[in-house]
Amino acid sequence: MKRFEIFFGLIKIPTDFLMTVIAFLLAYKLRLITEPIAGIAKAIDLTVLPTTEQYLIFSAKAAAALILVFAIGKMYALKTTSKFSKEIKETIYLCIIWAAIIISYFFFIRTFPFSRLAIIYSWALTIILTILGRAIIRIIQRGFLHMGIGQRRLLFIGNNNITKEISKNLSRNPSYKIIGLIGDNKNGTGTNIKILGGISQLQYIINHQKIDEIIQTKSDFTETQDENILEF
């Protein structure tokens, strides 16, 4: 696992925490200026209105709970190859679960927040800001990848049409840098990937070229050779 991937995976934790706290504080301020809405929002009872400091403490606890829910939902994966659309869907889904936990907590202790509308604001703003925070991280991350920083160094084993098709797709993905392949050019597949050697040189090529991932498109290897590939 690259330090690049570890950094951008772990930086999501404080970002999610900060964005959630900001969302709660914005919801608090927004609720104070919201006029009463019949059947939805009553006038605020100032006798139960928490201070900014009290609400900040509550928001920090809620943010910590969200981090835990996200961690259980595997939202802090360290690889750089996941799709952002999938990340957005998972964020919304897990935020729904998180909101249900908060509501259950208030029901269990038999008390209610000073404003149900503030909770709704907090939930909606948390979704928006956590997605925004993760989008900013991804933009920065992709910028580094386009500069060649943090790319996963990829090696193909096999020189055939499958290699050609996969390499064509991955060449458009900045997360990967295709280093070369192990095989020969007898099949004449027309691939432009550099041939680095034969299967007997696998370990040397992996170490020398600092390979991160291997894609095997050829299957006619001995059992020992297959085991060596799987060990990587």
Side-chain angles (χ1 to χ4, degrees):
M1 184 64 66
K2 286 179 172 289
R3 284 177 292 179
F4 175 87
E5 293 174 324
I6 294 173
F7 172 78
F8 279 101
L10 295 180
I11 198 66
K12 292 176 184 177
I13 297 175
T15 301
D16 288 341
F17 185 91
L18 179 62
M19 289 300 185
T20 303
V21 171
I22 291 174
F24 269 73
L25 293 178
L26 286 176
Y28 180 84
K29 299 298 183 182
L30 185 60
R31 180 62 187 93
L32 293 179
I33 63 174
T34 302
E35 296 294 332
I37 304 173
I40 299 178
K42 299 179 180 179
I44 297 176
D45 184 355
L46 297 179
T47 62
V48 297
L49 179 67
T51 64
T52 303
E53 182 180 355
Q54 290 173 328
Y55 201 72
L56 181 61
I57 293 172
F58 170 69
S59 67
K61 292 178 180 179
L66 181 63
I67 298 298
L68 180 61
V69 172
F70 276 8
I72 295 173
K74 299 180 180 180
M75 289 293 284
Y76 300 114
L78 302 181
K79 280 198 170 185
T80 61
T81 54
S82 60
K83 291 184 178 179
F84 189 55
S85 58
K86 180 181 178 182
E87 191 172 357
I88 291 175
K89 292 176 183 178
E90 290 177 347
T91 298
I92 295 173
Y93 172 71
L94 291 173
C95 279
I96 292 173
I97 295 176
W98 167 69
I101 292 172
I102 292 177
I103 294 171
S104 299
Y105 166 76
F106 282 118
F107 180 80
F108 180 76
I109 64 174
R110 297 182 180 278
T111 60
F112 295 94
F114 79 97
S115 170
R116 289 172 294 179
L117 188 57
I119 295 298
I120 295 173
Y121 284 158
S122 299
W123 174 74
L125 288 170
T126 296
I127 292 177
I128 293 170
L129 292 183
T130 52
I131 290 175
L132 176 61
R134 285 169 172 264
I136 293 171
I137 290 174
R138 186 167 287 252
I139 289 170
I140 296 172
Q141 189 176 27
R142 299 287 279 192
F144 280 115
L145 289 171
H146 280 291
M147 291 188 290
I149 301 173
Q151 290 179 317
R152 299 189 66 79
R153 297 171 67 84
L154 181 65
L155 174 71
F156 281 96
I157 297 180
N159 186 15
N160 49 43
N161 288 325
I162 298 175
T163 301
K164 182 179 179 180
E165 288 302 315
I166 295 176
S167 64
K168 186 188 297 183
N169 290 328
L170 291 181
S171 64
R172 296 191 290 266
N173 188 334
S175 297
Y176 293 101
K177 181 178 182 179
I178 300 174
I179 302 302
L181 63 80
I182 288 177
D184 53 51
N185 200 30
K186 293 179 180 178
N187 296 328
T189 57
T191 177
N192 294 322
I193 303 175
K194 183 180 180 180
I195 299 175
L196 301 177
I199 191 64
S200 61
Q201 300 171 286
L202 176 62
Q203 194 58 54
Y204 169 79
I205 292 171
I206 289 174
N207 295 334
H208 184 68
Q209 298 290 345
K210 299 179 180 178
I211 300 301
D212 296 307
E213 289 189 20
I214 291 176
I215 295 180
Q216 182 181 347
T217 62
K218 182 181 179 182
S219 58
D220 55 340
F221 292 117
T222 65
E223 184 176 343
T224 302
Q225 290 171 333
D226 281 333
E227 288 177 355
N228 290 336
I229 296 170
L230 288 173
E231 283 178 3
F232 176 77

